[in-house]
Amino acid sequence: MPIEDVENIGRYRPEGYHPIVIGDRLHDRYDIVHKLGFGSYSTTWLARDIERKKYVAIKISISEVNLHESKILKSLSRPDPNVKGQLGNALVISILDKFRPDGPNGKHKCFVTEPGMMSLAETKYASYTRLFQLPVARAIMAQVIQAIVFLHHRGIVHADLHTGNIVLRLLESIDSLSPEQLYEQYGRPNLEPIVRLDNQALPIGVPSQGAVPIWLGKASEQVTLSEAKIFLTDFGESFQPSTTRRHYSNTPAILVPPEVYFLPQEPVSFPADIWTLTCTLWDIVGQRPLFEGLNPSQDWMIKEHVDTLGKLPPPDWWRVWDARQIWFTEGVKRTSERSRRSLADRFINSVQEPRQEHMVESIAEDEKACLLTQSKAMLEFRPHERPTAAEIMESEWMVNWALPELAKQD
């Protein structure tokens, strides 16, 4: 039987997950104290580094999987002699150690990183308001832009940017806690016994208990400016356009840029990140996502783009979009204006009204105008017409609102 909030136990098999039990010591150095999470290809654990006396995250892949992510992170960790300082490097999760344990299910690749407190998606999900305080939102948005500038300068497209892949850093004060003190503050591991339905003994490669991941976070409105320090994670979809031609997007459907639909023969590149960056920034400052849809089709998303931006795609794109007649007349008018929501409408619905309703600081008109202008530019249909990440870094909103807020963290 499946166990709620625990990985698929059936994947503990040869060439599958590596069995871990709370209390295990890995690599003669890392004591497993809790679970942080899991995915289809790995489990991630909170461990105490007995040499450095710090907590770390250990990601353990399924047996013999080629961790593309580790290669990307390794390339990012190399210093760039052409850049003074490595500001963006601190905003990308870095590998602290690597090792390959043998286990009953095979050989596994492990890499050790800084542990995160929670993703932005998780902290919003834990909140009733689903909002960050405005100074916190500005500081987080500034760091996300800086991180994308760094990635693009190093020739890498993240290709899966969203709030689930942006993590708030764990406060350094946690390192002063012993495992027992950690349990007192955050709770002991919730362990569920694993049993076979036929009551036979478990295979050697299956752990005796499943561990529910620990919750180290807090609701979004409770995050303070000093806590609003982030790093990007999950580089499993990332690639270098100089060496890899990518013609698809595996981001959530509401974030897929339009060139994926209309230019299937053209490789995806840095402008795709700019489109998803816009959506991600919106999600950080607002309560609802910019584009919406429940398991949306490609046609629904194109309709969302047209409605939001208030303009049609380029003529050569428009002509090949057969589904346009569902929502538009041949005279290129909306068949029903009642359901159309422009970018300005969505800003009111997603950002301003929820902030006013929950008595969270809203955005003044001058800042709103700059944000909308920046968003429109980043959402140009044709990818080459969008600003680069470096240009966004120098935008009026970034210079006058985001960076000054970020500077207050120091």
Side-chain angles (χ1 to χ4, degrees):
M1 294 292 290
I3 303 174
E4 188 174 357
D5 297 325
V6 171
E7 64 275 13
N8 180 355
I9 303 302
R11 302 202 67 174
Y12 283 99
R13 61 177 186 264
E15 299 186 359
Y17 291 133
H18 180 55
I20 289 289
V21 176
I22 303 295
D24 283 352
R25 176 168 291 182
L26 300 181
H27 206 46
D28 296 324
R29 177 175 175 177
Y30 304 107
D31 289 339
I32 302 296
V33 298
H34 221 305
K35 180 190 279 179
L36 290 173
F38 57 89
S40 299
Y41 300 101
S42 62
T43 56
T44 306
W45 301 84
L46 182 67
R48 182 75 173 176
D49 182 345
I50 61 174
E51 290 186 12
R52 298 172 62 237
K53 294 181 171 55
K54 289 179 174 291
Y55 286 99
V56 295
I58 301 181
K59 188 171 186 177
I60 308 175
S61 73
I62 62 175
S63 178
E64 295 297 343
V65 72
N66 180 15
L67 286 179
H68 167 75
E69 181 177 24
S70 65
K71 294 182 180 179
I72 293 290
L73 292 175
K74 184 177 180 180
S75 70
L76 290 172
S77 67
R78 300 190 189 102
D80 186 344
N82 299 315
V83 178
K84 293 182 179 180
Q86 297 292 315
L87 172 64
N89 197 21
L91 299 173
V92 172
I93 192 171
S94 59
I95 298 176
L96 305 176
D97 193 9
K98 295 187 296 183
F99 56 95
R100 290 173 60 93
D102 287 339
N105 295 330
K107 291 184 177 181
H108 304 262
K109 290 185 178 180
C110 301
F111 58 92
V112 181
T113 66
E114 174 187 350
M117 183 190 301
M118 58 196 162
S119 72
L120 300 188
E122 288 171 327
T123 186
K124 291 188 71 174
Y125 186 75
S127 165
Y128 173 71
T129 69
R130 300 178 68 85
L131 291 166
F132 291 103
Q133 300 293 335
L134 187 54
V136 170
R138 289 181 184 134
I140 293 174
M141 293 161 75
Q143 292 170 85
V144 175
I145 292 171
Q146 289 177 334
I148 296 302
V149 170
F150 170 70
L151 287 183
H152 288 191
H153 177 76
R154 301 300 289 268
I156 292 173
V157 176
H158 186 278
D160 195 17
L161 182 66
H162 53 78
T163 54
N165 288 337
I166 304 168
V167 176
L168 289 170
R169 294 182 181 276
L170 198 58
L171 300 179
E172 291 185 0
S173 58
I174 198 172
D175 290 326
S176 65
L177 301 177
S178 67
E180 189 61 33
Q181 291 170 326
L182 180 85
Y183 294 152
E184 290 176 3
Q185 185 165 336
Y186 295 101
R188 293 185 173 277
N190 180 6
L191 303 176
E192 297 285 347
I194 297 174
V195 295
R196 287 175 51 141
L197 293 179
D198 59 9
N199 294 319
Q200 297 297 308
L202 293 173
I204 190 172
V206 179
S208 59
Q209 296 174 316
V212 176
I214 191 173
W215 169 246
L216 298 171
K218 56 174 62 176
S220 55
E221 69 274 10
Q222 297 174 350
V223 176
T224 65
L225 185 59
S226 63
E227 294 171 331
K229 299 176 180 179
I230 63 102
F231 57 78
L232 286 190
T233 186
D234 199 345
F235 289 80
E237 292 292 332
S238 301
F239 66 100
Q240 294 176 292
S242 61
T243 59
T244 303
R245 293 178 66 85
R246 177 77 61 82
H247 297 273
Y248 61 88
S249 172
N250 283 334
T251 63
I254 61 172
L255 304 179
V256 173
E259 60 265 31
V260 173
Y261 305 138
F262 290 106
L263 301 174
Q265 304 305 318
E266 296 290 327
V268 174
S269 192
F270 303 105
D273 266 356
I274 301 302
W275 182 279
T276 55
L277 173 61
T278 321
C279 301
T280 301
L281 297 178
W282 186 283
D283 207 10
I284 293 169
V285 76
Q287 185 185 68
R288 296 162 56 183
L290 174 56
F291 303 118
E292 299 185 70
L294 183 61
N295 296 321
S297 66
Q298 172 180 315
D299 291 325
W300 175 267
M301 289 314 305
I302 296 171
K303 189 273 300 182
E304 275 283 280
H305 298 164
V306 173
D307 277 352
T308 302
L309 299 178
K311 63 181 182 180
L312 300 181
D316 51 327
W317 293 14
W318 178 258
R319 286 192 297 270
V320 298
W321 183 34
D322 294 335
R324 66 186 186 276
Q325 59 189 345
I326 300 174
W327 297 284
F328 300 90
T329 67
E330 285 305 315
V332 198
K333 291 185 178 180
R334 192 76 158 77
T335 55
S336 173
E337 289 294 326
R338 287 190 303 173
S339 60
R340 178 181 177 270
R341 292 190 303 130
S342 67
L343 188 67
D345 294 333
R346 291 169 193 246
F347 192 88
I348 293 171
N349 299 149
S350 175
V351 181
Q352 298 292 60
E353 289 181 346
R355 288 183 168 276
Q356 293 163 0
E357 178 185 350
H358 296 289
M359 294 181 287
V360 179
E361 183 183 0
S362 57
I363 297 178
E365 286 300 313
D366 52 350
E367 182 178 3
K368 169 187 171 183
C370 285
L371 261 179
L372 289 179
T373 298
Q374 176 177 298
S375 297
K376 289 177 182 177
M378 295 168 70
L379 293 172
E380 284 290 343
F381 280 114
R382 291 198 185 275
H384 68 272
E385 295 179 356
R386 297 171 203 155
T388 65
E391 289 170 339
I392 297 166
M393 187 75 183
E394 298 177 355
S395 70
E396 185 176 355
W397 177 81
M398 189 72 167
V399 170
N400 292 337
W401 282 279
L403 289 176
E405 206 73 73
L406 182 60
K408 296 177 185 176
Q409 284 187 334
D410 299 329

